Each structure stands twice: as structure tokens, then as C-alpha cells.
Amino acid sequence: MKVVLDGLTKIFPPRTGKGDGVTAVKDFTFVVPDGTLVALLGPSGCGKSTMLNMICGLEKPTKGTISFGNDDVTELPSELRGVGMVFQNYALYPHMTVYDNIIFPLGNLKGKDKLTKEQMKERADKVASLVQIEQLMARKPRELSGGQQQRVAIARALVKTPRLLLMDEPLSNLDARLRLQTREEIRRIQRETGVTTIFVTHDQEEAMSISDIIVVMKDGELHQSGKPQEVYDDPKNLFVAKFLGTPAINVFSGKVENEMLSIGNDKVLEVKGVRDGDVVVGIRPEGFVFDNEGSFHCALDRIEVMGRDISIVSRNEACEAPVVRSIVESGDRPEFGSDMVSFRLKPNKVHLFEPETGERIPFGKIKVKY
Ligand code: ADP
Ligand code: MG
């Protein structure tokens, strides 16, 4: 089922009754295509949870509408929306067994939807097998690891065969290894069930690896959406460019004169069609090519070996961070004892931005599509 968010806005009233209140979500328009996993990505406080709460009906939008398929559900009570919800803190009932936690939502079904004990068991067994916790059914939540508790929470969210699954930072309480494993599991479960899913996270790597589409938001507003790789390759503005990618994009102050980009005194790249003046330059770590003839010079700090690739850590006065991080193949490296390093730049890994607004300035033949 597709989900249509049209001009969604949420303003929380001021606590004292005076002032403007907090605008948590602002004029947010987006369509979640049927059967996809969409990651809603943004820093803490940008309005992600407020978005999910509006979609599931726990918060009422100040403005705008929410439709499931072609049905406007903006005014529909939460329990009639057919949405499964998973939270960061699992929210399991501590005194109930895993089995009873899973079937709990089925107890609320009334009238023709009411299930017999046998039907409930059938449903519980099915979702338990899907999230691989069949052998834990008799335990209490405190007898489970964090990862297992989160699986129970996912099973509970799926037991009513929801039309939509919403997950609010579901991996944040897990340790690093479990986080990786559980995110693969969520991807698999979503593929197997085909349930339209919105997954909220502040972790760009998590969002990039798990989703069909990422939606980047900041201060309650949608900045950019698209396939993870497309958004990474074609960031619309400096915020999106900086938010995606590890190591992060390297940011420099630069200048354009006669379609030639300079960083410090180095003329580093031809940038066709760009007006003269100051620019902010973003260079992805993989955008540097180690080359003794290269025109971009940095002071060599150290080299970190990472298996197939190496990371050259250097310094440049025009860089906004203390060090420049570049990733090159391990065969390409400065000679032992050098104090300078020279690079060529890959044009499609270099992005220019307006210093005032942070908007991207396209150049050359690269087609920018948002
Ligand atoms: P995120 O989930 O991205 O961290 P939230 O949606 O929780 O962000 O919050 C977005 C903004 O709305 C924050 O500034 C937060 O303080 C504010 N906010 C959230 N819930 C309430 C509320 N019930 N009352 C007032 N302000 C709120
Ligand atoms: Mg939140």
C-alpha cells in the first residue's frame, strides 16, 4: 500500500500558551511507494518521530493530509489504521511471556475479526518463525538479549498483518554487531512480507544500507529523497553532502576564476559553466587520485592501511576540518618519508556549493537530477 503525505505540518503549542510553539514538521510532501522500505534520515530533533506518530495516528497534524492508498486517513483513529509500530525501547510487557506479548494485539480484535485461540497460535507461530524466535516463546523479556527482544517487538508489530510497518530507531539500543545483524534481518523480513515500511534513523550508514529510498530531513523539512546511491552521488546541498558518507566528505573554501577552481594557491579542476567567485568545495574521500604530477597539494600527516585500500590523512589550510581524508588503492602511496602529497581529483566526486545558501552549483557535463 502506498502512503501519501501531503503538506504535513506539525506545530506543538507553546507550553505557557504564549509564543509560537515548536514547528516539528514543516510542509512535508512525499509518496512512499507500495512495498518499499523507506528510510527517514536526519539528525536528532529534526522531526522524525513526530512524522511517524502522525502517520500512525498518535499525533494529529496541524496541517496537511495522510492517505493510505486512496483513502484519506488523517482523521482515522490510530487503532483503525492497520499500522504496526516498533520502537527503540522494544516496549514489551515484562510480566508476559514472549508468546503472550506477540498475541497481545490480537486480543483487541472484535466482531468478525475476532480470532480463536488456535488461529492466534497459528498467527504467532508464523511471525515467530519469520523473525526466528520460535524457541523463545515461553520466556519472559528479561530472559532475552536486546536483539531477541527487538525481534519479539517486530513479531508483535507484524502479527496483525499490518498494511504499513513503522520503525522508530529500532536498532539504537543494540550493540554494534547486533545492529548490523538485525538490520539485515529487517531487510529480509521486509522483502519476505512485502509490507510497506518506514524506518527512522539518524545513522546514515544504516539508512543507506537498508533502504530502497532514503528521505533526508532537517529542521522538519524534506531536503532530498531518492535511491541511496543517487542521493550520495548527487547531493542537492551541502547539508545532504555532509550527512551522507563515511568518512565524511572533505569540505574546503575555494574560488572560481575563468572556469578554473582553486583551493588555496592550487588550480585543482576545470569547472565549466560556473560563475567567478567564492565557492564551498566538497570532495569525497574516494575522489582523490594519488599522483606526483597532481595539482592539489596537501601536507602529509599519516597513512592508515585498511586492507585493499589505504587512507591518506593530510592537512590543507583551506579545509574546514583539521585533516583531509582520502581513500586510494593500496598500490598508490607517497614514498616513505615524504612530507607533501599531491592529488588529481575525480570531477564526479567534487561538488561545489553556494557559500551563502549551501545549494549545489552544477558544473561540466554532470547531469544533476533531484
Ligand atoms: P526526532 O525524532 O527526529 O529526534 P522529534 O520528532 O522527536 O525529533 O522532535 C522534533 C521537534 O519537536 C523537537 O524540537 C522536539 O523538541 C519537538 N517536540 C517533539 N514532541 C513534542 C511535544 N510533545 N511537545 C512539544 N515539542 C515536541
Ligand atoms: Mg525520535
Side-chain angles (χ1 to χ4, degrees):
M1 179 192 70
K2 77 172 172 183
V3 177
V4 184
L5 312 172
D6 189 4
L8 270 192
T9 298
K10 178 71 189 182
I11 303 169
F12 289 106
R15 233 173 253 294
T16 55
K18 288 196 207 99
D20 293 338
V22 178
T23 304
V25 175
K26 206 153 126 195
D27 198 18
F28 198 103
T29 295
F30 185 72
V31 177
V32 179
D34 180 31
T36 56
L37 196 168
V38 169
L40 193 55
L41 171 68
S44 176
C46 76
K48 305 182 295 296
S49 295
T50 305
M51 279 289 301
L52 281 201
N53 291 341
M54 288 193 288
I55 296 169
C56 79
L58 294 175
E59 291 283 1
K60 205 174 139 43
T62 310
K63 255 194 296 196
T65 60
I66 302 164
S67 303
F68 289 178
N70 295 321
D71 305 331
D72 185 331
V73 299
T74 319
E75 300 294 328
L76 196 67
S78 184
E79 62 274 16
L80 300 179
R81 293 193 187 189
V83 172
M85 186 99 184
V86 177
F87 301 94
Q88 175 178 344
N89 60 7
Y90 326 130
L92 301 175
Y93 299 106
H95 58 285
M96 291 186 191
T97 61
V98 166
Y99 180 81
D100 287 333
N101 266 286
I102 293 176
I103 63 165
F104 188 80
L106 300 177
N108 304 331
L109 296 175
K110 303 214 168 60
K112 66 172 175 39
D113 294 330
K114 204 167 156 51
L115 300 179
T116 64
K117 275 219 159 69
E118 289 70 37
Q119 286 169 321
M120 285 192 193
K121 176 153 189 330
E122 213 173 286
R123 290 265 201 113
D125 287 345
K126 197 169 144 213
V127 289
S129 130
L130 185 69
V131 303
Q132 298 173 342
I133 50 165
E134 303 98 313
Q135 69 291 4
L136 306 175
M137 292 293 227
R139 293 205 199 165
K140 297 274 176 64
R142 67 168 186 284
E143 298 161 334
L144 303 177
S145 71
Q148 289 168 333
Q149 290 189 46
Q150 195 54 299
R151 283 165 195 252
V152 176
I154 295 169
R156 185 182 54 184
L158 291 172
V159 78
K160 274 167 103 175
T161 47
R163 303 193 278 172
L164 176 65
L165 181 61
L166 303 178
M167 308 182 109
D168 195 351
E169 313 241 9
L171 307 178
S172 300
N173 284 4
L174 306 180
D175 64 45
R177 197 179 55 83
L178 258 180
R179 210 155 49 221
L180 273 181
Q181 189 190 341
T182 313
R183 92 181 181 209
E184 299 299 318
E185 287 287 289
I186 290 175
R187 180 76 261 208
R188 177 184 61 77
I189 293 162
Q190 195 275 332
R191 288 239 166 91
E192 277 181 32
T193 57
V195 62
T196 308
T197 301
I198 306 176
F199 179 101
V200 159
T201 178
H202 63 270
D203 179 333
Q204 60 88 25
E205 197 190 330
E206 200 167 284
M208 297 274 283
S209 63
I210 202 172
S211 63
D212 298 305
I213 298 173
I214 59 170
V215 175
V216 184
M217 71 187 285
K218 184 188 172 219
D219 299 337
E221 291 184 277
L222 189 157
H223 273 240
Q224 191 172 358
S225 65
K227 289 186 184 157
Q229 192 66 43
E230 284 176 9
V231 178
Y232 179 83
D233 288 339
D234 266 339
K236 189 178 168 188
N237 56 39
L238 186 59
F239 170 73
V240 174
K242 284 168 98 164
F243 205 68
L244 298 186
T246 35
I249 196 165
N250 300 281
V251 178
F252 302 85
S253 47
K255 206 182 205 85
V256 174
E257 222 171 12
N258 299 326
E259 302 191 321
M260 179 52 75
L261 172 66
S262 304
I263 296 175
N265 294 324
D266 298 338
K267 292 184 165 43
V268 295
L269 195 68
E270 193 183 18
V271 288
K272 280 237 168 343
V274 179
R275 84 305 178 265
D276 284 1
D278 291 342
V279 289
V280 173
V281 188
I283 309 175
R284 293 281 181 206
E286 67 276 22
F288 297 84
V289 182
F290 172 69
D291 180 352
N292 281 325
E293 307 294 307
S295 59
F296 187 34
H297 309 291
C298 297
L300 182 61
D301 188 282
R302 62 185 187 275
I303 292 174
E304 293 172 359
V305 180
M306 312 184 296
R308 194 171 62 86
D309 298 326
I310 60 170
S311 169
I312 300 177
V313 182
S314 61
R315 294 175 192 278
N316 186 293
E317 282 197 350
C319 185
E320 80 171 18
V323 294
V324 179
R325 286 193 171 272
S326 49
I327 295 173
V328 301
E329 283 183 29
S330 60
D332 303 333
R333 57 157 77 197
E335 272 174 48
F336 187 74
S338 343
D339 53 1
M340 291 300 286
V341 55
S342 304
F343 299 106
R344 242 179 322 121
L345 300 179
K346 297 181 187 167
N348 62 342
K349 294 290 179 182
V350 178
H351 304 307
L352 303 185
F353 304 94
E354 294 287 356
E356 299 290 316
T357 61
E359 287 303 302
R360 172 100 170 266
I361 310 170
F363 67 87
K365 290 200 200 80
I366 301 167
K367 261 225 318 273
V368 182
K369 47 179 186 308
Y370 301 132

